[in-house]
Amino acid sequence: MTPNRTFAERVEMPAYALPSEVRLNVSFEFFPPKTPEAEETLWRAVQRLEPMAPRFVSVTYGAGGTTRERTHNTVRRIAAESNLTAAAHLTCVGATKDEVNAVAQDYWNSGIRHIVALRGDPPEGQSGYSPHPKGYARAADLVEGLRRIGDFEISVAAYPEMHPDSPSLEGDLDNLKRKIDAGARRAITQYFFDEQVFLRFLDRARSAGITVPIVPGILPVTNFATVKRFSEACGAGVPRWLSELFDGLDEDPQTRRLVAATVAAQQCRVLQANGIDEFHFYTLNRADLTFAICHILGMRPSGAVGRTAVVE
Ligand code: FAD
């Protein structure tokens, strides 16, 4: 804020004034449902978010490939029954190259052209990752393998706070560069709660010669305890202020949702003000928070009256 601006001038600049044209791209991440009820919930979320015209929507692959069939079915249903571009997550862990290639080939044959290529985590109870003796060792190897199967659009993971297995920030950036050099066209980040962390990471990545889009992964937090536990495993920092915001709300899911939307929207607005125009939302198969945040960012469902986001 300019220090010599009068209070009246400040009033003329409401925090939520949007530029006349909102240039934004979004993508939404879902997980494959386990039950018919969960499938219903997912499908409602897909339909609610579809009018936001995301660049793509992606479906995760369960640890160790445990959701192989469900991921495949969900991706195929989205592709068949909506106008959305569906992307499939695929991991290396616990499978031979032949098995992974067969899954990828199946996607290619079904017209799925976008893969989020990942190493994956070791199965629960196993400490430390070790590659399958006949498998792709790491995500960079998987990217190379996918490129031999078809001209997939490939996205990979990035870690603003460093992957927990990485020896250093530089080593992690080298790994990201290997994945891009192998043919990935976009990096999607692990979630984070400090925008400065992401912006510094972006600077470092650009200095390291990584020029592809690096899309911030946004997680609207509704269950603080779960996120805290998960963050310890994946190396995402959880600031004290976040824990304080959720203090006393364990039995109050409605307020938790309002807080979640407020925090995530504010995070996106700060990034937007710093020139970030693409976001990847971890929806957890719920549409309402993500829809609200997109609305706050200035996006409007296609066909709706009002300012429409320009999708490039
Ligand atoms: P890699 O890029 O292979 O890197 C893993 C680690 O190994 C890094 O620390 C890297 O620095 C290090 N490394 C790589 N190469 C070398 C080398 N040659 N020498 C030494 N160290 C090296 N998991 C799932 O199971 N299913 C999903 O659907 C899924 N979706 C995800 C989506 C996003 C956007 C993100 C950010 C993560 C997702 N994950 C998913 C989690 C991911 O599988 C884990 O974080 C996993 O531990 C690392 O995967 P990666 O692709 O980043 O691995």
Side-chain angles (χ1 to χ4, degrees):
M1 189 176 287
T2 316
N4 58 4
R5 193 175 285 149
T6 67
F7 282 103
E9 281 168 334
R10 286 176 207 165
V11 170
E12 282 168 12
M13 296 180 64
Y16 283 92
L18 290 165
S20 57
E21 198 179 61
V22 179
R23 289 190 171 271
L24 268 191
N25 275 299
V26 292
S27 50
F28 303 131
E29 184 173 307
F30 301 107
F31 61 86
K34 271 193 186 145
T35 62
E37 295 75 35
E39 168 113 20
E40 272 298 297
T41 306
L42 164 69
W43 204 244
R44 273 199 302 277
V46 169
Q47 288 174 327
R48 174 109 168 101
L49 291 171
E50 184 174 3
M52 285 298 183
R55 198 191 270 278
F56 64 92
V57 301
S58 72
V59 181
T60 60
Y61 202 66
T66 45
T67 66
R68 179 173 159 163
E69 283 304 311
R70 282 189 279 127
T71 299
H72 206 277
N73 294 341
T74 307
V75 169
R76 289 238 291 236
R77 184 172 177 199
I78 291 173
E81 296 181 33
S82 76
N83 290 317
L84 297 165
T85 299
H89 292 218
L90 185 58
T91 65
C92 319
V93 67
T96 65
K97 284 185 187 177
D98 286 350
E99 286 164 343
V100 174
N101 290 350
V103 176
Q105 187 66 56
D106 219 356
Y107 280 126
W108 182 264
N109 296 345
S110 314
I112 305 302
R113 296 287 184 263
H114 188 160
I115 302 277
V116 182
L118 304 142
R119 183 195 78 179
D121 285 316
E124 234 176 296
Q126 186 182 308
S127 71
Y129 171 81
S130 50
H132 188 290
K134 292 185 176 168
Y136 290 111
R138 302 177 195 284
D141 307 313
L142 174 59
V143 173
E144 264 180 43
L146 290 171
R147 302 284 297 157
R148 283 193 288 270
I149 291 171
D151 186 19
F152 285 111
E153 174 170 351
I154 300 173
S155 299
V156 290
Y159 301 87
E161 293 170 269
M162 192 172 97
H163 186 276
D165 292 353
S166 185
S168 64
L169 284 167
E170 290 68 30
D172 214 27
L173 266 185
D174 288 346
N175 180 52
L176 177 58
K177 189 144 188 336
R178 274 195 292 276
K179 296 193 277 192
I180 305 303
D181 291 346
R185 287 196 218 156
R186 168 189 303 101
I188 302 171
T189 77
Q190 184 59 275
Y191 65 82
F192 55 91
F193 298 110
D194 179 344
E195 303 84 39
Q196 289 299 328
V197 163
F198 173 80
L199 294 169
R200 277 198 297 271
F201 175 71
L202 200 53
D203 283 339
R204 282 201 311 273
R206 296 297 181 238
S207 304
I210 297 170
T211 54
V212 300
I214 297 180
V215 182
I218 304 296
L219 176 68
V221 175
T222 47
N223 186 330
F224 181 75
T226 306
V227 168
K228 183 134 178 40
R229 213 172 38 249
F230 190 72
S231 301
E232 274 157 21
C234 75
V238 179
R240 180 200 285 254
W241 59 259
L242 191 63
S243 127
E244 287 168 357
L245 276 180
F246 283 94
D247 207 18
L249 296 180
D250 288 355
E251 308 302 324
D252 187 350
Q254 205 180 350
T255 306
R256 282 210 311 266
R257 299 185 72 69
L258 294 172
V259 172
T262 307
V263 169
Q266 184 165 324
Q267 180 181 33
C268 292
R269 294 275 297 167
V270 170
L271 293 171
Q272 197 180 22
N274 281 278
I276 307 303
D277 59 3
E278 188 159 0
F279 298 94
H280 180 80
F281 289 96
Y282 296 106
T283 69
L284 305 181
N285 292 6
R286 307 287 305 243
D288 48 358
L289 289 184
T290 300
F291 191 92
I293 297 160
C294 288
H295 182 96
I296 291 169
L297 293 178
M299 298 189 79
R300 295 295 178 268
S302 43
V305 176
R307 187 186 283 111
T308 305
V310 175
V311 180
E312 292 171 321

